[in-house]
């Protein structure tokens, strides 16, 4: 990532370039990302191709000011962090469905090594605001709730990540390249068995909590209180623009 793209990405996040790649700056970058770039699967429901190529990710997320899902968001964020001097490793995870973890490459998360290793994730939707200490086994708290990391019963160095009491995902220790996630990204975007193809969603952290459009429902969460109402078809495009600064020329389909 060249200097021009670094500047453009940081402008997208609304933050200045960190003086040094330390833990404090990492926390600021993650929170800024969560509040500026939505978690969304709109491309799937707009019939847009999803590419994990660096140029395509930058054009979509920075230049067109869109969001994406884990492979896109954490994939591009890894590039920015690397360009800023952080040591970043891409990790594969299995997302829990109830009490059972899903398939490998179900999720992409990041490991950032400073004086200690950190779990960084801007692509899981409602999750921790701050990076999590990977070697810490006690609860870790921030404004988004309580997270805890512990060894998975499967062994092999895998770690189970729990957020607000619910299993989130099982993280593997082995490093991967972004290309390794391409087949699962394609499956997530095309399979009728993927929850991403069932309904459009767009969600982002706010100062008070979270704002989400799920299908035709607008959901506000603030100070632990949740309110929702159904939007009329004519109100959906303005809602994407007002709440996420996403300008669309047509409505995403409601399911596939």
């Amino acid at each position: 990532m060249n200097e021009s793209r670094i500047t453009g990405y940081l402008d997208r996040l609304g933050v200045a370039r960190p003086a040094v790649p330390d833990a404090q700056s990492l926390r600021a970058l993650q929170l800024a990302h969560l509040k500026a770039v939505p978690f969304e699967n709109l491309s799937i429901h707009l019939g847009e191709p999803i590419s994990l190529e660096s140029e395509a990710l930058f054009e979509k997320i920075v230049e067109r000011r869109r969001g994406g899902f884990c492979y896109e968001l954490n994939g591009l964020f890894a590039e920015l962090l690397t360009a800023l001097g952080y040591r970043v490793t891409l990790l594969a995870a299995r997302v829990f469905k109830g009490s059972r973890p899903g398939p490998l490459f179900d999720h992409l998360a990041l490991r950032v090594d400073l004086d200690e290793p950190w779990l960084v994730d801007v692509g899981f939707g409602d999750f921790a605001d701050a990076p999590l200490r990977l070697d810490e086994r006690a609860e870790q708290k921030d404004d988004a709730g309580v997270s805890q990391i512990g060894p998975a019963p499967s062994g092999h160095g895998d770690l189970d990540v729990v957020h607000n009491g619910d299993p989130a995902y099982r993280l593997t220790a082995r490093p991967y390249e972004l290309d390794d996630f391409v087949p699962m990204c394609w499956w997530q975007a095309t399979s009728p068995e993927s929850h991403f193809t069932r309904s459009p969603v767009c969600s982002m952290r706010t100062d008070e909590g979270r704002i989400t459009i799920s299908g035709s429902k607008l959901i506000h969460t603030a100070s632990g209180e949740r309110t929702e109402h159904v939007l009329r078809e004519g109100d959906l495009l303005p809602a994407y623009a007002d709440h996420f600064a996403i300008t669309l020329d047509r409505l995403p389909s409601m399911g596939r």
Side-chain angles (χ1 to χ4, degrees):
M1 185 173 287
N2 60 31
E3 287 298 320
S4 175
R5 289 192 172 184
I6 293 172
T7 299
Y9 202 156
L10 293 175
D11 287 346
R12 170 83 168 96
L13 302 185
V15 295
R17 182 170 185 146
V20 291
D22 57 12
Q24 180 178 353
S25 296
L26 185 63
R27 282 191 290 271
L29 287 165
Q30 175 165 317
L31 184 58
H33 206 292
L34 294 170
K35 290 184 175 182
V37 183
F39 176 90
E40 50 108 329
N41 66 351
L42 301 180
S43 288
I44 296 170
H45 299 274
L46 290 166
E48 298 173 348
I50 295 176
S51 172
L52 300 188
E53 294 294 328
S54 177
E55 289 189 5
L57 292 176
F58 186 86
E59 187 271 337
K60 178 180 181 180
I61 294 170
V62 177
E63 294 180 347
R64 286 200 285 135
R65 304 184 74 81
R66 283 279 302 279
F69 56 0
C70 68
Y71 313 108
E72 300 170 286
L73 300 180
N74 282 327
L76 191 63
F77 194 42
E79 284 194 45
L80 175 66
L81 294 178
T82 300
L84 293 175
Y86 290 97
R87 287 193 297 138
V88 184
T89 304
L90 275 58
L91 301 179
R94 306 171 187 266
V95 177
F96 277 94
K97 297 169 179 63
S99 61
R100 297 176 62 86
L104 190 63
F105 301 114
D106 209 15
H107 181 59
L108 164 62
L110 307 177
R111 171 180 171 140
V112 176
D113 284 284
L114 296 167
D115 293 338
E116 59 182 312
W118 296 83
L119 172 63
V120 172
D121 199 336
V122 296
F124 198 67
D126 189 5
F127 193 60
D129 280 349
L132 302 174
R133 288 182 163 89
L134 267 172
D135 289 342
E136 177 61 66
R137 298 296 170 255
E139 292 181 343
Q140 302 183 57
K141 301 178 181 180
D142 61 29
D143 289 343
V146 180
S147 302
Q148 191 165 16
I149 299 173
S154 58
H156 311 297
D158 292 351
L159 296 171
D160 281 353
V161 183
V162 176
H163 182 63
N164 287 335
D166 296 321
Y169 50 77
R170 180 163 293 168
L171 194 66
T172 61
R174 174 183 168 182
Y176 288 96
E177 301 295 329
L178 191 55
D179 284 347
D180 295 321
F181 295 85
V182 169
M184 184 56 84
C185 178
W186 175 84
W187 184 90
Q188 297 279 25
T190 60
S191 172
E193 297 181 14
S194 166
H195 69 274
F196 288 112
T197 65
R198 295 174 188 171
S199 179
V201 65
C202 188
S203 184
M204 193 164 64
R205 184 76 164 91
T206 66
D207 290 338
E208 298 79 22
R210 194 160 200 88
I211 182 76
T212 301
I213 297 177
S214 179
S216 59
K217 289 191 297 187
L218 178 64
I219 304 166
H220 287 272
T221 305
S223 304
E225 296 293 325
R226 175 187 169 108
T227 61
E228 62 177 71
H229 71 274
V230 177
L231 296 170
R232 294 175 299 179
E233 184 174 298
D235 293 332
L236 276 167
L237 290 182
Y240 283 119
D242 291 344
H243 297 293
F244 304 101
I246 290 178
T247 302
L248 302 177
D249 60 5
R250 64 192 185 282
L251 285 174
S253 64
M254 287 295 116
R256 295 176 60 178

